[in-house]
Amino acid sequence: MHLTRRFFAVLAPTLSLALAAHAAAPQTGHPIASRFNADPSPHFFPAAKGDKFYLYATDDASNTGKYWDSVTWRLYTSPDMKTWRDAGVPLAVTVFKWARPDAKAWAPEAVYRNGKYYFYAPVGGDKIGVAVSDRPDGGFVDARNDALVDRERDVNAGDEPIDPAVFVDKDGQAYMYFGTRVPKVVKLKPDMISLDGPIRIVKIDGLPSSDPKKKYGEAPFMHEHNGVYYFTFSSGWPGQILYATASSPMGPFTYRGVMIDYLKISTNHQAILEHDGKSWVFYHDALLPGGGGYRRSIAIAPLEYGADGSIKQVAVKPGQPND
């Protein structure tokens, strides 16, 4: 979402939103809220009224604590990247009548285009739905009445079509990345609710064969910086956040290194946003009391580039031990 993805600040769990309002700049390394959340999808929506920054998330606070089995997503908003408001449930899996009402609501994605807000929802671990609304904070309805990607229907959808990430390039072409263990990409039509051509495998050259842990696991994400396309992803469970670059959003990509090292948690999931000439990475970790593998918390950290276009490894403070 190359709809200029931008980044947000975070509050220590012991601080109130009112205190954070006096911060000179967004705090980093702390959870954005006192509620468990994960799988960040951050955006700056200039057309939105009031708050301009929106962060969609998996709602770990509503799962059983024994698995990632929540059935709703959560939204947080901010006017200034310093203070965050819990805006509640923007939609639930029940929006999709073709899905089981107890289907798992995993890592979400959103895009503003055509004057509407599109929400990409991995449902049940085997399908990706797309909903649409005139508002970013709710009112979403099923845009298709069937899945955008369906493991049983679509060729090369993979065993687990989850973790959608949508990128709109400067020429207007939209791409959706998704998948576990094998990264996938497919073009989207201008309507943003239809596939435009076949689902393809994202090729990543140069992954170190001497390190079996340096592989693609999940959480694909695409952004562009100074004409270079950066493909970031998690290497597994637990995983590092790795990155690769290319001259095209379709690749092939060349492995460049580690962006975020291992954290004391079973998963990681990142998103990158640029605002006012600065870059930020969102990720999740076990940061709140009682947190762990199923009760995660979103935080942010500054993202910096080297003169050669490399991403400097992000220094984050690991959270609590995994449960």
Side-chain angles (χ1 to χ4, degrees), residues 20-308:
H22 298 290
Q27 298 180 20
T28 63
H30 302 285
I32 65 155
S34 59
R35 184 183 181 92
F36 294 118
N37 49 37
D39 303 324
S41 174
H43 308 273
F44 176 78
F45 291 141
K49 296 180 180 179
D51 289 352
K52 303 296 184 181
F53 297 91
Y54 288 75
L55 174 61
Y56 301 90
T58 300
D59 188 28
D60 278 12
S62 65
N63 69 31
T64 61
K66 299 178 180 178
Y67 195 64
W68 307 287
D69 51 12
S70 55
V71 296
T72 59
W73 290 275
R74 204 78 179 179
L75 174 62
Y76 301 86
T77 65
S78 174
D80 55 10
M81 300 201 312
K82 301 174 186 177
T83 62
W84 286 92
R85 180 177 70 91
D86 183 345
V89 176
L91 74 165
V93 296
T94 51
V95 164
F96 305 105
K97 304 306 180 186
W98 43 264
R100 290 170 52 95
D102 61 349
K104 301 178 292 291
W106 285 354
E109 176 64 300
V111 173
Y112 176 73
R113 198 175 190 190
N114 307 324
K116 295 183 180 298
Y117 299 87
Y118 297 88
F119 188 94
Y120 299 85
V123 175
D126 61 351
K127 296 177 179 65
I128 298 173
V130 56
V132 64
S133 175
D134 294 327
R135 314 191 325 262
D137 59 347
F140 286 95
V141 297
D142 191 346
R144 292 175 48 98
N145 297 316
D146 67 347
L148 176 63
V149 173
D150 188 326
R151 182 180 65 191
E152 301 302 321
R153 182 193 69 200
D154 298 319
V155 175
N156 201 31
D159 293 335
E160 203 171 27
I162 64 171
D163 293 358
V166 176
F167 169 80
V168 181
D169 205 359
K170 294 182 292 292
D171 63 1
Q173 178 62 60
Y175 303 82
M176 185 172 72
Y177 303 82
F178 65 93
T180 59
R181 295 175 180 85
V182 179
K184 305 299 176 80
V185 61
V186 63
K187 291 181 179 180
L188 298 178
K189 291 182 179 180
D191 65 8
M192 301 302 287
I193 64 170
S194 306
L195 304 185
D196 188 7
I199 297 170
R200 302 181 184 277
I201 294 174
V202 177
K203 185 179 180 182
I204 307 171
D205 296 324
L207 286 170
S209 58
S210 59
D211 188 348
K213 295 182 179 180
K214 294 288 194 297
K215 62 185 185 304
Y216 175 85
E218 60 178 355
F221 186 85
M222 170 63 60
H223 79 286
E224 179 267 338
H225 182 80
N226 288 342
V228 177
Y229 296 89
Y230 291 80
F231 184 66
T232 55
F233 54 95
S234 170
S235 64
W237 311 271
Q240 296 170 309
I241 299 300
L242 309 178
Y243 79 101
T245 59
S247 58
S248 161
M250 294 290 285
F253 293 87
T254 299
Y255 173 71
R256 298 290 296 273
V258 176
M259 188 172 77
I260 298 178
D261 205 354
Y262 294 105
L263 299 175
K264 294 179 180 180
I265 195 170
S266 59
T267 67
N268 208 342
H269 193 116
Q270 82 299 338
I272 294 163
L273 198 59
E274 297 188 338
H275 179 65
D276 284 347
K278 296 182 180 180
S279 299
W280 304 88
V281 58
F282 286 71
Y283 64 98
H284 64 229
D285 198 359
L287 297 171
L288 289 173
Y294 302 119
R295 293 287 171 83
R296 301 159 294 181
S297 299
I298 295 172
I300 69 169
L303 187 70
E304 298 181 348
Y305 299 87
D308 60 353

Side-chain angles (χ1 to χ4, degrees), residues 8-28:
F8 322 63
V10 293
L11 296 176
T14 55
L15 293 178
S16 69
L17 294 178
L19 286 175
H22 298 290
Q27 298 180 20
T28 63

